[in-house]
Amino acid sequence: VSTQSTGTARTRSMSTEKQLTWGKKLAHNEKKVRDKTVKVLRTWLGKQRDLSDLDVLKLWKGLFYCFWMSDKRPVQRELAQNIAGLIQSAHPECQACFVKGFFATMVREWGGIDRLRLDKFYMLVETFVVQCFELLAGTEWDEEVVEQFATDLQATVLAPNDNSAKGLTMFLIKKWLGKLSASGEEIPVDAVGKFVDPFFAILSKAADKHIVTLTSTHIFEGLLPTKMDQNQTPIVANIPEMMEELFSMASSRETRDSNRKVIYSLHRQYETCIKVLQQMEEEEGNDDENDDDHDEENVEVPEVEEDDDEEDFAQLAEDAGLDDLEEEEEEEEEEVVIQPKKKKSRVPAATTPKIAAKRKMKNRDSEARSTSKKKSRKARA
C-alpha cells in the first residue's frame, strides 16, 4: 500500500511539475521559447487521454499569457492560428474539454484585458470559433458532438445570467452565423437547431437588453430566409418549429417579462416569413402549369412532304403526246387575266376607241394561237 501511494504521489508531483513548467515557458519573455513550447505542447496533447478540467484550465491560463505577451499584428495572427490549431492536435477524448476550457478561461480573464489588447483577443476568439466549426464539420455535424459543444457554450460564454464578459458575448453573437455559414459545409437542420438552443435561453432569461436585442437581430432574424445575406452560404433552419418554440417561450412563466415583447415580435416575423414562402411556392406551381400549357400550344406540326403527283402527271402527259397541255392552261390563265371586269372607265373619251381596238387585236391573236395548237395535237394523234 505504501509503495502504491508513493508511486501515485510521484506521478502527481511529476504532473504538477510539468504543469508549472508549461506555465513558465508559455509566459516566457523570449518569443523563441514561447513558440517552441507551443509546438511541444501540440505533440504532448495528442497523447493525453485523461486530462481533467483543472489540468486543461491550467494549460489555458499559460496559453492566455502566451498570447498576452505577443506583439505586432503578423506575430499575433500566426500565434492565434497555432493556439486555435491545438484543438485538432488534442486527443479526441479531450477535445470537448479543451474547447470548454478555452471559453471558461476567456470569461474568467476578460475583465482584466486592457483596451489596447482587446482587438488581438477578439482575433483569437474569432480564429478559435472557426477552428471549432471546422472540427464539427469533420465529424459531419454529429448531433451528440454539436449538442455537447452548444451545452459548453451555454455554460460559459453564452450563459444567460452571467455578464462578466459582456463584450465577449456580444462579439460572439455578432460573428456566430457568419462564421458558421463560412464553414463551407451544408449543415443539417437538426444541427442548426442544436446551435440555436443557447440563444433561446438568452431570449428567455437574459436580463441585459443589449444582449437580447443582438440575439434577436443577428441570430433569429438572420435565420429567416427573407432576411438572409445573399453573399453567405444559406443556413437552413426549421422555421415552423422555431416559430412554435418562440410562441411557447413567450407565454411561459419562466420567461422574463421584459423579454416577451421581443419574443412576440420575432414570432410575428416568423409567421409572416412562412406565409411569404407559401405564396412563393404557389406562384412557382402556377408558373410550372403555365409553362406546360405553353409547351402544348407550341407543339411543332411535322411538315408534310410534297407529293410528286405533278411530276408523274407531266410524265404521263408527255407519253400521251400532250406536251402542250400546260401551255394551254397558261394561256387560259392569261386570257382570264387580260379580260377586264366591267367598270366605269376613268380614261378620257378621246383615248377610248384606241384601247378597244388593241383589245380586239389581242383576242384575235389568242384565238389564232389556240386553233393552231389544236390542229397540231390532232396531227400528232
Side-chain angles (χ1 to χ4, degrees):
V1 176
S2 60
T3 305
Q4 291 178 356
S5 61
T6 304
T8 304
R10 287 178 180 177
T11 304
R12 289 177 180 175
S13 62
M14 287 175 64
S15 62
T16 303
E17 291 176 0
K18 191 70 175 177
Q19 289 169 3
L20 291 173
T21 304
W22 287 127
K24 288 181 180 180
K25 291 184 177 181
L26 286 172
H28 202 275
N29 292 329
E30 295 291 333
K31 179 181 178 298
K32 293 182 180 180
V33 177
R34 296 197 301 269
D35 292 343
K36 185 177 180 180
T37 306
V38 172
K39 291 181 181 179
V40 176
L41 180 61
R42 181 183 295 110
T43 305
W44 182 80
L45 281 173
K47 301 177 182 179
Q48 307 302 315
R49 294 186 177 182
D50 53 351
L51 286 175
S52 64
D53 293 342
L54 182 60
D55 294 336
V56 172
L57 289 175
K58 290 179 179 179
L59 285 175
W60 271 117
K61 189 165 186 177
L63 289 168
F64 177 86
Y65 285 104
C66 177
F67 194 72
W68 179 286
M69 299 291 292
S70 62
D71 293 325
K72 298 182 180 180
R73 198 69 174 177
V75 175
Q76 295 166 359
R77 188 178 294 107
E78 182 182 1
L79 183 57
Q81 291 287 347
N82 292 333
I83 292 176
L86 293 175
I87 311 172
Q88 305 285 347
S89 302
H91 195 276
E93 296 182 5
C94 295
Q95 285 177 341
C97 180
F98 196 73
V99 171
K100 184 179 180 181
F102 168 78
F103 288 110
T105 302
M106 289 296 109
V107 171
R108 186 184 68 245
E109 303 291 341
W110 195 259
I113 302 175
D114 57 88
R115 63 181 184 84
L116 298 176
R117 291 185 172 89
L118 271 178
D119 289 340
K120 72 176 184 179
F121 276 99
Y122 278 136
M123 181 181 63
L124 175 61
V125 172
E126 185 175 353
T127 307
F128 193 85
V129 169
V130 171
Q131 287 292 331
C132 289
F133 288 147
E134 290 182 1
L135 178 65
L136 294 173
T139 64
E140 297 182 354
W141 307 103
D142 185 84
E143 290 188 18
E144 294 183 359
V145 179
V146 173
E147 185 176 4
Q148 181 64 44
F149 176 69
T151 302
D152 293 340
L153 288 177
Q154 187 173 347
T156 54
V157 68
L158 295 180
N161 296 321
D162 188 2
N163 293 327
S164 58
K166 179 180 176 180
L168 176 60
T169 303
M170 295 172 67
F171 175 79
L172 196 60
I173 291 171
K174 292 178 182 179
K175 297 290 184 178
W176 187 259
L177 287 184
K179 298 304 177 183
L180 184 59
S181 63
S183 60
E185 298 287 339
E186 185 177 354
I187 306 172
V189 178
D190 295 337
V192 175
K194 300 295 183 183
F195 281 125
V196 178
D197 285 342
F199 301 104
F200 272 113
I202 290 176
L203 280 183
S204 177
K205 301 177 181 178
D208 193 285
K209 293 182 179 180
H210 296 290
I211 292 178
V212 173
T213 304
L214 283 177
T215 303
S216 173
T217 304
H218 292 275
I219 302 298
F220 289 93
E221 292 183 12
L223 288 172
L224 289 171
T226 54
K227 295 186 178 182
M228 194 171 292
D229 190 354
Q230 300 298 327
N231 297 325
Q232 296 179 352
T233 304
I235 300 175
V236 181
N238 193 336
I239 302 299
E241 183 178 340
M242 291 181 65
M243 185 185 70
E244 294 178 359
E245 180 67 21
L246 287 170
F247 182 79
S248 62
M249 187 171 61
S251 58
S252 176
R253 294 181 178 179
E254 298 178 357
T255 302
R256 295 180 66 90
D257 293 336
S258 58
N259 298 346
R260 294 185 193 276
K261 185 177 180 180
V262 176
I263 299 172
Y264 276 123
S265 176
L266 283 173
H267 178 266
R268 287 193 297 270
Q269 292 184 43
Y270 271 69
E271 190 175 11
T272 304
C273 178
I274 291 175
K275 292 180 181 179
V276 171
L277 294 176
Q278 291 176 350
Q279 290 178 359
M280 292 173 63
E281 291 179 357
E282 292 176 359
E283 290 176 358
E284 289 178 358
N286 294 333
D287 292 340
D288 293 339
E289 293 178 359
N290 293 333
D291 292 339
D292 294 339
D293 296 339
H294 185 67
D295 293 338
E296 292 178 358
E297 292 177 359
N298 294 333
V299 174
E300 295 183 357
V301 179
E303 296 182 357
V304 180
E305 297 182 356
E306 296 181 357
D307 297 333
D308 297 334
D309 294 340
E310 294 182 359
E311 296 179 359
D312 296 341
F313 182 75
Q315 186 67 32
L316 291 172
E318 184 178 356
D319 295 340
L322 302 176
D323 296 337
D324 298 331
L325 183 60
E326 294 181 358
E327 295 179 0
E328 289 182 0
E329 292 178 353
E330 291 177 356
E331 289 176 359
E332 289 176 359
E333 291 177 357
E334 289 178 359
E335 291 176 359
V336 173
V337 174
I338 290 170
Q339 293 177 358
K341 294 182 180 179
K342 294 180 180 181
K343 291 183 179 179
K344 291 182 179 180
S345 178
R346 295 183 181 179
V347 183
T351 59
T352 302
K354 294 181 180 180
I355 295 172
K358 288 182 179 180
R359 288 176 180 173
K360 288 180 181 180
M361 292 294 293
K362 289 182 179 179
N363 291 334
R364 288 175 185 176
D365 293 339
S366 62
E367 289 176 359
R369 289 176 186 173
S370 62
T371 53
S372 63
K373 288 180 180 180
K374 288 179 181 179
K375 289 179 181 180
S376 63
R377 288 196 201 102
K378 288 180 181 180
R380 289 177 184 177

